[in-house]
């Protein structure tokens, strides 16, 4: 393992000296995400394996190339899981790719996102230096914020060699309920339920139907089911439904395979988008998926008017900007971070925004 890291460090130093762009690749499951990748391939998938796992401490440390499925299987033996439900999108998905993409599944609104569970990272930066930030416990605040900014950085700040993640026990009981409901009524109902002591762990609305998941203690889930009513899905149907959302294999996403798929992040109480296209709503109303051919500027403008932002998740023109425009101050901060970690600008250049 150390020989591989040394070889990658040497290659990065040589690339920095010659200005050669490097495209960091692990499992390749999320290459569609972000702007078009550039540069010579730097395959880091061989750096894999569990460094340490302390079930009683709810923390695991693994190398970046470790298959995500392998980590989740290990956690399952102890009745534990990654609460943010990271999508795989392909069998080869890795832990480093999970963190670098910063994507979360249906449980995100109640459990938190990827960065909320990153305790520490070991990174190979654009100078070929191995840097370590954070630790293995939540109380270790030294460098903790640096660990968190790696989540969602898409490899633009360095190669993730190791990551320490907080894990949690799986819920004892779960139930999925379905209701026939309009979009506006679903948004209103989700915000009402969100302010009540209900064990909500996921929600999804599409084409006149609202589906919610309840997770927690047996008594809490049973009581909530009786209180809310609706049609209860059986375990197999429920599992397939949420897995389809998490991995985007559900019919809604499958039908959008050849069309632009937009992800809008807005306040959960925001009214209906009223944009042409087909829509799916998650995260208690805070995440709105939109499939359509509308100009990106129009979608961005509508998201901004609702107090949020939009990004082109799949398809469309990935040579242009796919993420929401940054305010000047925030753009300057991003550039400073890029310069601090990758002064030559060789690691996944332009993957997030044009020019860095």
């Amino acid at each position: 393992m150390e020989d591989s890291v040394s070889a990658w460090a040497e290659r990065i130093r040589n690339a920095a000296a010659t200005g050669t762009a490097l495209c960091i690749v692990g499992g390749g499951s999320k290459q569609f995400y972000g702007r078009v990748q550039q540069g010579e391939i730097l395959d880091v998938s061989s750096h894999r394996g569990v460094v340490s796992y302390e079930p009683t401490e709810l923390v695991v440390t693994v190398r970046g190339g470790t298959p995500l499925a392998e980590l989740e299987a290990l956690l399952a033996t102890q009745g534990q899981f990654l609460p943010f439900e990271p999508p795989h999108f392909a069998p080869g998905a890795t832990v480093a790719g999970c963190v670098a993409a910063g994507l979360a599944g249906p449980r995100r609104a109640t459990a938190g996102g990827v960065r909320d569970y990153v305790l520490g990272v070991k990174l190979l930066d654009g100078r070929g230096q191995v840097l370590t930030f954070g630790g293995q416990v939540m109380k270790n605040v030294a460098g903790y914020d640096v660990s968190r900014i790696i989540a969602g950085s898409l490899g633009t700040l360095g190669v993730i060699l190791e990551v320490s993640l907080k894990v949690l026990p799986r819920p004892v009981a779960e139930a999925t309920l379905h209701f026939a409901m309009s979009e506006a009524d679903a948004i209103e109902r989700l915000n009402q339920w969100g302010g009540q002591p209900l064990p909500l762990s996921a929600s999804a609305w599409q084409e006149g139907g609202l589906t919610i998941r309840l997770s927690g203690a047996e008594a809490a889930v049973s009581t909530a089911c009786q209180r809310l009513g609706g049609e209860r899905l059986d375990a197999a149907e429920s599992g397939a439904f949420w897995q389809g959302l998490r991995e985007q294999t559900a019919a809604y996403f499958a039908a959008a395979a050849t069309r632009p798929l937009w992800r809008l992040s807005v306040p959960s109480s925001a009214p209906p988008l009223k944009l042409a296209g087909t829509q799916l709503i998650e995260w208690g109303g805070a995440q709105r998926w939109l499939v359509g051919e509308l100009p990106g500027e129009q979608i961005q403008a509508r998201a901004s008017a609702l107090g949020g932002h939009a990004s082109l998740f799949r398809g469309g023109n990935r040579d242009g900007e796919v993420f929401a425009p940054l305010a000047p101050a925030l753009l300057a901060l991003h550039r400073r971070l890029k310069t601090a970690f990758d002064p030559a600008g060789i690691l996944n250049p332009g993957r997030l925004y044009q020019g860095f």
Side-chain angles (χ1 to χ4, degrees):
M1 292 295 180
E2 293 305 318
D3 289 343
S4 295
V5 173
S6 297
W8 296 335
E10 181 63 23
R11 186 174 176 189
I12 288 174
R13 286 191 288 269
N14 290 336
T18 59
T20 302
L22 296 176
C23 174
I24 304 168
V25 175
S29 62
K30 300 172 182 68
Q31 288 180 305
F32 68 87
Y33 187 58
R35 300 181 73 249
V36 175
Q37 293 177 286
Q38 305 174 41
E40 298 179 357
I41 298 297
L42 178 60
D43 187 339
V44 296
S45 59
S46 62
H47 193 66
R48 59 176 64 188
V50 176
V51 177
S52 65
Y53 178 33
E54 298 294 338
T56 58
E57 299 296 328
L58 300 176
V59 61
V60 62
T61 299
V62 296
R63 297 186 179 94
T66 305
L68 187 55
E70 184 178 304
L71 171 59
E72 290 182 323
L74 172 64
L75 298 178
T77 64
Q78 301 296 321
Q80 298 176 348
F81 74 140
L82 299 172
F84 51 92
E85 293 183 318
H88 294 221
F89 295 138
T94 65
V95 174
C98 156
V99 174
L103 300 175
R107 208 179 296 264
R108 164 67 175 84
T110 54
V114 179
R115 61 172 44 91
D116 298 307
Y117 292 87
V118 176
L119 301 177
V121 294
K122 181 180 289 186
L123 196 72
L124 187 58
D125 72 0
R127 298 181 178 85
Q129 302 175 129
V130 175
L131 308 177
T132 301
F133 302 100
Q136 293 188 331
V137 293
M138 292 296 288
K139 293 181 180 179
N140 185 349
V141 297
Y144 180 62
D145 285 343
V146 175
S147 302
R148 288 163 63 96
I149 65 171
I150 300 303
S153 62
L154 286 178
T156 59
L157 301 180
V159 176
I160 298 175
L161 299 177
E162 289 182 14
V163 58
S164 294
L165 295 166
K166 177 184 177 182
V167 301
L168 290 180
R170 279 195 170 278
V172 174
E174 288 194 327
T176 295
L177 305 176
H178 181 78
F179 307 82
M181 197 175 296
S182 70
E183 178 184 4
D185 287 344
I187 293 171
E188 181 179 3
R189 192 71 60 85
L190 286 170
N191 278 274
Q192 289 175 351
W193 289 342
Q196 298 174 13
L198 293 168
L200 282 169
S201 65
S203 64
W205 177 91
Q206 188 206 357
E207 296 182 346
L210 172 64
T211 306
I212 64 170
R213 183 175 62 192
L214 305 167
S215 305
E218 187 71 54
V221 171
S222 178
T223 299
C225 285
Q226 294 175 16
R227 174 181 170 185
L228 298 177
E231 174 192 358
R232 183 164 180 172
L233 277 61
D234 64 36
E237 189 177 6
S238 173
F241 179 85
W242 297 113
Q243 183 70 3
L245 283 183
R246 175 179 176 175
E247 298 300 332
Q248 295 194 353
T249 55
Y252 172 83
F253 295 104
T258 60
R259 304 178 66 194
L261 173 64
W262 289 84
R263 183 176 68 172
L264 289 81
S265 177
V266 297
S268 63
S269 59
L273 297 180
K274 295 183 178 179
L275 292 172
T278 58
Q279 189 182 171
L280 188 149
I281 300 175
E282 286 192 274
W283 298 0
Q287 178 163 265
R288 317 277 176 97
W289 296 101
L290 178 70
V291 177
E293 308 294 339
L294 289 175
E297 295 79 6
Q298 184 177 346
I299 297 173
Q300 292 280 11
R302 179 57 175 159
S304 179
L306 293 174
H309 56 84
S311 60
L312 180 60
F313 193 80
R314 285 183 187 266
N317 177 22
R318 292 179 58 232
D319 289 318
E321 298 295 3
V322 301
F323 297 110
L326 296 174
L330 194 54
L331 179 62
L333 178 59
H334 274 249
R335 291 188 183 280
R336 288 200 297 272
L337 280 170
K338 176 66 172 174
T339 299
F341 282 89
D342 180 22
I346 60 165
L347 300 178
N348 282 7
R351 184 78 188 277
L352 279 172
Y353 289 95
Q354 188 172 5
F356 68 94

